Amino acid sequence: MNRFVEMVRRTAGALLNLECDGCGTRVGAADNSLCPACRAALVPVPEPRCPECGGVNGGILRCCPECLEAGGRPWRGARSLFLYEGMARKLILGFKFSRRTELAALFAELAEPEVKAFGCEFDLIVPVPLHWTRRLRRGYNQCELLARELSARTGIEWTN
């Protein structure tokens, strides 16, 4: 479905301007739903990043305080694309709670370079499960939508 939406968006964008998913201003298809100002408002996680959670590591130790306190994680590494503030927070909350399912394509586009630069090969993309009552209320699992889009962009298989 999202491939179809993306195809329609690009075709329509060639004929008319579309709205930015962040601020609502008009953008062309080349901007892929975010105007340059909103794209610039997505604040990347500064280096050095925590090798465990992928988040901010402002200290001198190898890991951030949260990961040190956790005493290890059940995964080998993670990456966070942006600080959860401002425009990134607005888009994520819209995706999760306001049925902005079209944002899965945007998030997959933004995540694709990070996935390819991660430094290892992936067997699968597995979305975080959503409790059945939340899925019933929400009508969808946003992580599953993102997994499908990211799989299509990277060629990495996804599964539930």
Side-chain angles (χ1 to χ4, degrees):
M1 178 192 109
N2 284 335
R3 280 188 179 205
F4 176 73
V5 171
E6 187 173 309
M7 182 183 73
V8 169
R9 177 179 281 282
R10 291 195 185 281
T11 303
L15 302 174
L16 53 98
N17 287 332
L18 303 172
E19 287 186 0
C20 171
D21 283 326
C23 65
T25 62
R26 296 288 183 190
V27 295
D31 293 316
N32 193 17
S33 79
L34 272 189
C35 70
C38 288
R39 195 172 286 266
L42 297 171
V43 181
V45 177
E47 298 292 343
R49 296 181 187 195
C50 174
E52 298 282 328
C53 69
V56 177
N57 186 12
I60 59 170
L61 299 175
R62 185 179 90 78
C63 296
C64 70
E66 290 83 14
C67 288
L68 286 173
E69 189 174 309
R73 301 288 190 177
W75 57 80
R76 282 188 267 157
R79 295 289 278 197
S80 298
L81 292 177
F82 306 106
L83 296 177
Y84 185 63
E85 61 185 29
M87 183 57 63
R89 185 175 189 275
K90 176 183 175 182
L91 292 171
I92 290 167
L93 290 175
F95 183 46
K96 286 180 70 173
F97 302 115
S98 298
R99 297 190 176 274
R100 302 273 321 271
T101 57
E102 74 279 3
L103 291 174
L106 172 66
F107 288 131
E109 174 205 333
L110 296 170
E112 180 183 11
E114 287 286 334
V115 170
K116 290 183 175 178
F118 199 80
C120 68
E121 294 206 17
F122 297 96
D123 298 321
L124 290 170
I125 297 173
V126 181
V128 175
L130 189 63
H131 193 273
W132 69 270
T133 57
R134 281 202 177 163
R135 185 174 185 130
L136 188 63
R137 269 193 315 251
R138 212 175 272 174
Y140 63 98
N141 179 349
Q142 73 281 354
C143 291
E144 183 178 309
L145 297 177
L146 178 57
R148 288 179 186 190
E149 287 291 330
L150 195 55
S151 174
R153 293 184 83 77
T154 62
I156 303 167
E157 185 181 346
W158 82 277
T159 187
N160 270 334

